[in-house]
Amino acid sequence: MLTTDLLTAVPAVEPTAATGVLAAAWLLIALPMLGAAVLLLGGARTDRWGHWIGVLASGAAFVVAFVAWLAMIGLPADERVVDLHLFSWIPAGAFSVDAGLRLDPLSMSFVLLVTFVGTLIHVYSVAYMEHDTSRRRFFAYLNLFVAAMLLLVLADSYVLLFVGWEGVGLASYLLIGFWNHETANAVAAKKAFVANRVGDLGLIVAIALIFATFGATDFTTVLGEAGGASEGVLTAIGLLLLLGATGKSAQFPLQSWLGDAMAGPTPVSALIHAATMVTAGVYLVVRSGPIYDGAPTALLVVAIVGAITLMFGAIVGSAKDDIKKALAASTMSQIGYMMLGAGLGPIGYAFAIFHLLTHGFFKAGMFLGAGSVMHGMDDTVDMRRFGGLSAFMKVTWVTFGFGWLAILGVPPFSGFFSKDKIIESAFAMNGGEGWQPWVFGLTAMIGAGITAFYMSRLFFMTFHGKQRWSDGHGGGATDPDAPVRHPHESPALMTWPMIILAVGSAGLGGLLAAGSSFTTWLEPVTGHVEEHEPVLAVPVITVTTLVLVAVGVALAWRQYWASAVAVVPPHGSLLTRAARKDLYQDEVNDALLVLPGQVATRSLVYGDRTVVDGAFTGLARGVVGLGAGLRRLQNGLVRSYAAIMLAGVVVLVAVVLAFGI
């Protein structure tokens, strides 16, 4: 491992051109942060050209990332973990934290994904947000988000990671609620913010426990000494880290915010829910691999959370008619696959990140495709009012189709190489012994079939079948209430990013899988792991998975292409009705968290007003009442005073006689 001190420029090893390039990695964060500062502080003066500043800042960060990646692959494998010291940040006695960056194959994989896909989304947004009067502010928030995400994945300690963690939370709040003049959008942003704060509590406590256990929070110390800590402590840390991950990555039970987060502009969905924020939880678990390796119980819980979430999202996605919310449910499910992969331990860490990278391309492409459909359909999101759009939006149709084939796992598209590896590894979990390989393997396999159904449903309802809208000239839908639409292809600034992402959806998986190149690339972080034989032969797993995918596509074709699609959703089964309401996740949250919280709050308010305030106000009222009573005795009448004196004498005599004084 190399250590480079930026302040003194004295490396711990012989300086090379590669380490010199890597020493400039702080520019990755500084460039988009500078772009955000210019756009936010420049004000209205930057409105006309500010969006290009945002694009340039993100693009420049990608150039730096690409050069740094080239420098890293030029180093021997055992020297590809480089710690870059920036400055002394928190010198507080025993608790001392330096600000620094860790550049290794894991962080560089994220950096390339965030900057490349993020830059494409910036370019797309130039056209998508063209008529928005606050476009400059939107790009400032995009730059802020990219900078925070890069800080999160490049930080060399849990404390600095937490700064980036909260940074993406803030930026997501600003972007989801960007159109906050509508109450629903503001509520959605608040919901995402609050749900993430619940998870953040777990991360805060985990960091405190890490410091109490290891006396440090930097990755070198903590991960290097994790093997010497007790299993109980590591289990507690692992579960607390997982709580933070469930909030940020919308995993069970903190997944309720993701669908509502579609309230933001569509490029926000592509950035947050494909390539950046929701993947942060997976990064946290894989980065903390040595902790989980010593805590098998916590690792099992990670796998359970992933398995539940991948099925949860798939079921919900099968019933959504809002194209963006259907994609959001898909994101939840696919992150569940990644979390399941991470929960498999060393045999699954690399495959979780592998699927994360391919998913970043095909899901971002589909979100941008959804935005293109909305652009051509007057911001309509109801797929029941689409149909037949392939004839009018051919570029969007083809690029979206590439993403659809990739997420289905159809060879040779990317998802086949990444998601199927997680399924195979699930069948090899625990060395192929016990119930775990069968439960997690079958869950992942069945999830692939459901994924094929709901993603094909989305694709067919949008681009195929009969038109369920009118062109205003007697063509289109026969429904007399069909809205008049004039679908058209999006401008080049929107279609070219979709084309590039479609190319990645088609070829990235095969490129990374060739010769196990990606798993070998990650070995300095995840370690070398010998392949384990799954309980089922790999060809059997592959063929069975593809058969289930084919069945899912066929069912969707029969129901949503070959048959007429009702413009009003039918009543449906009990499960369908539950899926439309997100399996009642909001109702469960209200019953378990919101209502008890309201009762507790109202009880505290009542106690404060009646007991605390009552004690002070009651004393004051008593004094006032006593004063009022005494005031009546001071009436100025001589006979009243004489009567009082007589009463006093009588009382005094009675006391003397009674007690013999």
Side-chain angles (χ1 to χ4, degrees), residues 220-387:
T220 301
T221 302
V222 175
L223 303 181
E225 298 179 3
S230 68
E231 182 178 328
V233 171
L234 294 178
T235 299
I237 294 173
L239 293 176
L240 289 167
L241 291 174
L242 176 62
L243 178 58
T246 58
K248 197 66 70 181
S249 292
Q251 298 292 284
F252 179 84
L254 297 178
Q255 77 284 0
S256 64
W257 64 271
L258 192 65
D260 297 85
M262 298 300 104
T266 303
V268 174
S269 304
L271 183 65
I272 294 179
H273 305 127
T276 54
M277 176 173 160
V278 294
T279 62
V282 181
Y283 168 80
L284 180 64
V285 173
V286 175
R287 172 61 77 191
S288 305
I291 292 176
Y292 284 99
D293 292 343
T297 300
L299 201 60
L300 176 61
V301 175
V302 172
I304 291 173
V305 167
I308 292 174
T309 309
L310 77 87
M311 292 299 292
F312 191 106
I315 293 171
V316 169
S318 298
K320 290 295 183 183
D321 294 325
D322 183 317
I323 187 171
K324 289 177 65 177
K325 290 193 174 183
L327 287 174
S330 171
T331 297
M332 183 192 306
S333 180
Q334 294 303 304
I335 301 294
Y337 270 104
M338 301 170 207
M339 201 66 77
L340 172 59
L344 300 177
I347 66 171
Y349 290 148
F351 297 135
I353 303 302
F354 185 8
H355 191 52
L356 186 152
L357 295 179
T358 60
H359 175 265
F361 275 78
F362 61 69
K363 184 54 65 62
M366 286 191 285
F367 266 119
L368 296 187
S372 181
V373 170
M374 293 169 60
H375 177 81
M377 293 290 283
D378 297 332
D379 287 331
T380 302
V381 295
D382 187 356
M383 295 186 295
R384 293 187 179 275
R385 289 297 185 179
F386 292 159

Side-chain angles (χ1 to χ4, degrees), residues 314-320 383 404 407-408 419 446-461 548-560 576:
I315 293 171
V316 169
S318 298
K320 290 295 183 183
M383 295 186 295
W404 167 62
I407 196 172
L408 262 58
K419 188 169 68 176
I446 294 170
I450 302 176
T451 298
F453 171 77
Y454 75 79
M455 287 306 302
S456 298
R457 172 183 183 269
L458 183 154
F459 188 65
F460 297 154
M461 287 180 72
L548 289 175
V549 167
V551 170
V553 173
L555 290 175
W557 173 83
R558 185 187 67 177
Q559 189 169 349
Y560 298 102
T576 299

Side-chain angles (χ1 to χ4, degrees), residues 2-6 11-26 28 64-84 103-104 108 521:
L2 306 181
T3 302
T4 300
D5 191 327
L6 185 64
V13 297
E14 188 68 24
T16 64
T19 57
V21 170
L22 294 174
W26 58 273
L28 290 166
V64 174
F66 185 72
V67 173
W69 173 72
L70 290 177
M72 181 168 287
I73 62 176
L75 294 172
D78 59 353
E79 295 181 9
R80 289 178 181 169
V81 179
V82 179
D83 283 329
L84 179 65
L103 288 86
D104 58 21
M108 287 307 301
W521 160 254

Side-chain angles (χ1 to χ4, degrees), residues 439-515:
V439 170
F440 292 117
L442 290 174
T443 298
M445 184 181 285
I446 294 170
I450 302 176
T451 298
F453 171 77
Y454 75 79
M455 287 306 302
S456 298
R457 172 183 183 269
L458 183 154
F459 188 65
F460 297 154
M461 287 180 72
T462 302
F463 295 102
H464 296 282
K466 294 183 179 180
Q467 299 174 13
R468 296 179 294 278
W469 45 272
S470 172
D471 61 8
H473 301 285
T478 56
D479 179 8
D481 297 323
V484 177
R485 299 283 185 260
H486 302 285
H488 54 277
E489 190 57 89
S490 300
L493 283 176
M494 293 173 64
T495 55
W496 273 108
M498 295 190 310
I499 292 171
I500 295 171
L501 290 170
V503 172
S505 300
L508 182 64
L511 182 65
L512 295 180

